[in-house]
Amino acid sequence: MTENYTKNIVIVGNGMVGYKFCEKLLAKNEKFNLIVFGEEPRVAYDRVHLSEFFSGKSADDLSMADVNWYIDNNITLHLGDPIKEINRETQTIYSFKGLVQSYDYLVLATGSAPFVPTIPGIDKKGVFVYRTIEDLEAMTSYAEFAQKGVVMGGGLLGLEAAKALIDLGLKETHVVEFAPRLMPRQIDQNGSKLLQHKLKEIGLQVHLNVNTSKILGEEQITGLQFADDTTMSFDMLVISAGIRPRDELARQSGLELGPRGGIVVNECMQTSDEKIFAIGECALFDGMIYGLVAPGYEMAEIVASYLCNIDKKFKGYDMSTKLKLIGVDVASFGDPFICEPDCKTISFEDSNKGVYKRINMTHDGKHLLGGVLVGDAEAYNMLLQTVNNKIVLPPNPEDLILGARGGAASEGAGVMSLPDDALICSCEAVTKGAICSAVMDQDITTIEGMKKCTKAGTGCGGCVPMVKDLINGTLKENGKYVKNVICEHFNFSRQELLDLIKINNIKSYDEVLDTFGKGDGCEVCKPAVASILASLWNDLILKQATIQDSNDRFLANIQKGGTYSVVPRIAGGEITPDKLIVIGEVAKEFGLYTKITGGQRIDLFGAHLNDLPLIWEKLTAAGFESGHAYGKSLRTVKSCVGSTWCRFGLHDSVSFAIEIENRYKGLRSPHKLKGGVSGCIRECAEAQSKDFGIIATEKGWNLYVCGNGGSKPQHAQLLAADIDSETCIKYLDRFLMFYIKTADPLTRTATWLNKMEGGMSYLKNVVVNDSLAIGEELEAEMDTLIKNYKCEWLEVVENDEMKKKFNHFVNAPEEKDPSVSFQPMRDQIMATQW
Amino acid sequence: MTEDVLTACEWIMVCDAKDIPENGGACVKVEDEQIAIFNFARRNEWYATQNLCPHKQQMVLSRGMIGSSGDSCEPKVACPFHKNTFSLQTGKCLSNDEYEIKVYPVKVENGKVFVSLE
């Protein structure tokens, strides 16, 4: 061979691992000819997320790369052409379509096939396997005429397949499993019991210890017969009874196989022929097939390294997994099954919340060996770290799965429990440790001081509440008394000040400051008091424009470059074609960038201050109202399409979302408020990530509260179940008003609840059981606010004096800010970057 | 001495006093400069500064909230973008030593606002 000779690497199989091998080899920058043969007609796609095909992902969405990727990287790709023979003597392969290709190295990434047991009737119509997009397409068209489906096999893939059947809209979905438990490779008997219970709640019926003996029906399946001669009727069957490595090509070429199949490989992934490698689910390493994608990728890395003369060995792979299965968290790590007397075990079960946790420890209680989590897998990463790094366990290891107990958590305890190196301000890279030591060593006790000392909070400002909690928490830990006050000008908490303002019937900021404060106010107390005044009286906020934050002062969101964005209300995300046209026309006329927001409405960016009243003249004329995107107030109530169109919808979620959004529009609160309404448990409106979320049930609505997306996502918690619309609104009135009256400034509902003594059970008592006997009062207060609602922008466009406040130069009203500039981007504009 | 300096200033009439909202600010154009004028009505004081916030070079200080800081009640303005605060008297940034803004002499006579750029 000459020096310029480029070696041929032939890859058989174009699945996820085969694709990853190409990617990894290319990344190592050595020159090879890569030739790929794939049996399927498509380029490699993501099989792990196959079930998302049913929740609307297309084959394209799932693909790992497009054909151009192969072309751009000079990879020869033969699709729909399996290899039928390897001649190891001549190092040549022969394809089904008749291609002959020589190789220097051959990589077998042939994957696996579903294991199909030999049961009489297995070839009937309506019997499917779950492996390829073609399988899924066949299932989809058959499911249109099917009512009752069953999955054979209760492992990980089987449950995925069951989810697929539910998504396909089958009336009944069952799972039959030979073993006495679900997911026998990952979880134990108790975990399985709990999982089974949770699955039942979402309509999946599980039959364990069941041995299928026959598939009934003439041409097509009509049911299953079991070993005890009982039968059940079904219209379709999906087989997911495990995988079988695709080793037939290796077998025929005389490569060494395992006793139960699988191509035997060494720690370099070499088969018994050193020129031939096997990776992924067809490879048998140390007697084991690795049926997960991560070890497959690791194997790809090993071979790519070998070919580039990098020394790397496969040393087995940690099969710990965490996944969300039909909405239920399931995790197993380390050795989940080791039992007494080989270890000590702690387990915890809460069948009310649907949580099961088990940890296995060494006898001396010092090290963690493994465990199982079902229903709540939040601790997974930490537990896995503890196993893998052999971290010594604390004296009360049960805290690992139960959390520290002993009385209600103190205020801000969540923040204080973070490790010292936790990044609090990501803009300026300030850690918790830096903030706490600034408090202790430099006596910093204010946000202003902290900004100056550590720069924390000087970037986007999103971390300021957390910094405040850390300052207070650190002071408290050091035994200093901390009074929760708004700022240096008011020696009261927000709740105290709200009560004082209300009792004394005060309507203006200046009067509040004169009566209860000192100094001249600041950028913290002004908007806080403005919010209190708005929440109490719901007067037009522009009457006191200069105590409002910039966004509220100009009724729009200030953006980079000093322009504003405009968001008209589109309640529930429902909009007519005519209104869409108006938005398009306005955007064109004023040169605005348009984008759909996360709250199902349309944001128009790049508006000059001067143009805001002109824009709103057009929008209000077309019937639009302010969307209050600029305010600490109700933003949107997101909805899924609901029962009016959706075949799964139980109730009309859109109409209910619109009713609720219009009810609370303009409601000023300590922080922004977001809501959602979903028409069924599929939860397409993501209502559980909102401040309040409503999900349809067979009997009515479930009301969830205090959820949050944002930087610290938190699921909303159930406040009331199966309630009617009227009750739902009553509880919402009480909940929102209680939040408005008691939360600290700029505190979202989730943080408010986290800090509340007694937590959710206390909140439930106040709202549902009316334990404080303030229910009627809260409802009446909400009623007043709702009656006082007026569209702020309508007030402005009808008032010439107010319109004048939107001029950039008071001495040159016609002139717009000349410093504003834009850059073109994808046929629109963007702000010039700072 | 101070008298002399002040009288020596060239005063430019920029707007009517009623154009600037009470306890807030607005922007005026003086030649090619943008100047923020603040009507601190609560203290019966007027201030003028550059309109540009030096943190991210944004022409927005006139849209900021004003107030006071500390026992000395130092008058200040907060930038609407990231809430950096600046003394209206000295122009020093109170939240970050790296920044400073220009402040200008300002006076109100017969309902008219005058500033001096010198």
Side-chain angles (χ1 to χ4, degrees), chain B residues 55-98:
Chain B
H55 176 217
K56 294 289 181 184
Q57 265 76 72
Q58 302 287 301
M59 282 292 186
V60 285
L61 287 181
S62 60
R63 300 178 202 169
M65 285 177 283
I66 60 173
S68 69
S69 172
D71 295 332
S72 61
C73 277
E74 177 141 22
K76 63 171 182 176
V77 59
C79 172
F81 272 99
H82 303 97
K83 298 289 185 311
N84 277 304
T85 52
F86 300 89
S87 164
L88 290 170
Q89 266 163 356
T90 65
K92 287 223 158 53
C93 182
L94 304 173
S95 49
N96 190 330
D97 286 336
E98 287 172 28

Side-chain angles (χ1 to χ4, degrees), chain A residues 540 542-543 555 620 789-800 802-803:
Chain A
L540 184 66
L542 286 195
K543 285 189 186 165
L555 305 179
T620 51
Y789 167 81
K790 280 182 184 145
C791 171
E792 291 153 357
W793 268 113
L794 196 61
E795 303 270 311
V796 172
V797 297
E798 287 172 350
N799 183 323
D800 287 338
M802 280 195 189
K803 276 196 265 188

Side-chain angles (χ1 to χ4, degrees), chain A residues 311-330:
Chain A
D311 183 32
K312 238 184 207 176
K313 303 256 155 62
F314 189 74
K315 299 193 174 73
Y317 203 86
D318 180 16
M319 295 297 275
S320 300
T321 35
K322 178 188 164 190
L323 53 129
K324 209 175 195 75
L325 212 83
I326 327 187
V328 185
D329 280 328
V330 179

Side-chain angles (χ1 to χ4, degrees), chain B residues 21-60:
Chain B
E22 287 192 358
N23 296 308
C27 177
V28 295
K29 189 180 180 187
V30 184
E31 287 153 26
D32 277 338
E33 295 229 37
Q34 299 198 18
I35 309 292
I37 311 277
F38 299 96
N39 173 6
F40 215 140
R42 186 181 167 78
R43 297 159 59 132
N44 202 20
E45 291 167 355
W46 288 76
Y47 295 97
T49 70
Q50 68 185 53
N51 194 30
L52 185 85
C53 176
H55 176 217
K56 294 289 181 184
Q57 265 76 72
Q58 302 287 301
M59 282 292 186
V60 285

Side-chain angles (χ1 to χ4, degrees), chain A residues 211-451:
Chain A
N211 188 359
T212 310
S213 59
K214 194 175 172 187
I215 291 159
L216 304 172
E218 296 286 319
E219 269 192 16
Q220 56 195 39
I221 174 175
T222 58
L224 296 183
Q225 183 173 325
F226 305 108
D228 61 0
D229 282 342
T230 56
T231 61
M232 286 181 80
S233 58
F234 295 109
D235 307 320
M236 67 186 285
L237 165 68
V238 181
I239 294 179
S240 178
I243 55 167
R244 188 178 50 77
R246 293 282 304 271
D247 55 12
E248 58 271 18
L249 186 62
R251 181 185 304 273
Q252 181 216 70
S253 321
L255 296 175
E256 186 190 344
L257 303 182
R260 283 183 295 163
I263 308 165
V264 173
V265 291
N266 64 15
E267 57 189 6
C268 295
M269 311 318 294
Q270 265 164 331
T271 65
S272 52
D273 178 333
E274 60 171 19
K275 299 283 181 199
I276 303 179
F277 299 82
I279 56 177
E281 291 180 331
C282 63
L284 184 74
F285 175 80
D286 206 11
M288 180 159 170
I289 297 281
Y290 287 82
L292 291 177
V293 72
Y297 284 180
E298 174 69 11
M299 293 176 187
E301 171 70 27
I302 303 290
V303 179
S305 300
Y306 182 91
L307 296 179
C308 299
N309 295 314
I310 303 167
D311 183 32
K312 238 184 207 176
K313 303 256 155 62
F314 189 74
K315 299 193 174 73
Y317 203 86
D318 180 16
M319 295 297 275
S320 300
T321 35
K322 178 188 164 190
L323 53 129
K324 209 175 195 75
L325 212 83
I326 327 187
V328 185
D329 280 328
V330 179
S332 77
F333 54 94
D335 186 344
F337 300 125
I338 184 169
C339 282
E340 290 172 27
D342 297 329
C343 71
K344 281 191 197 163
T345 294
I346 300 177
S347 64
F348 164 76
E349 190 172 337
D350 179 347
S351 52
N352 176 39
K353 285 190 186 143
V355 175
Y356 170 74
K357 299 176 182 185
R358 161 182 171 172
I359 50 174
N360 310 320
M361 302 172 303
T362 51
H363 278 290
D364 56 9
K366 281 203 174 137
H367 294 104
L368 193 60
L369 298 171
V372 175
L373 305 169
V374 178
D376 171 13
E378 217 181 281
Y380 170 77
N381 282 322
M382 202 256 301
L383 292 171
L384 183 61
Q385 294 291 329
T386 309
V387 175
N388 290 350
N389 300 318
K390 300 198 170 57
I391 298 173
V392 177
L393 291 172
N396 300 312
E398 66 272 21
D399 288 353
L400 292 176
I401 51 174
L402 299 176
R405 293 166 318 289
S410 60
E411 183 179 312
V415 193
M416 291 310 290
S417 65
L418 291 172
D420 268 356
D421 56 3
L423 204 57
I424 304 297
C425 172
S426 42
C427 302
E428 293 290 337
V430 186
T431 62
K432 180 201 163 193
I435 292 169
C436 294
S437 67
V439 176
M440 284 187 292
D441 305 338
Q442 301 177 54
D443 289 328
I444 307 285
T445 57
T446 62
I447 287 286
E448 281 298 289
M450 191 57 75
K451 280 185 177 175

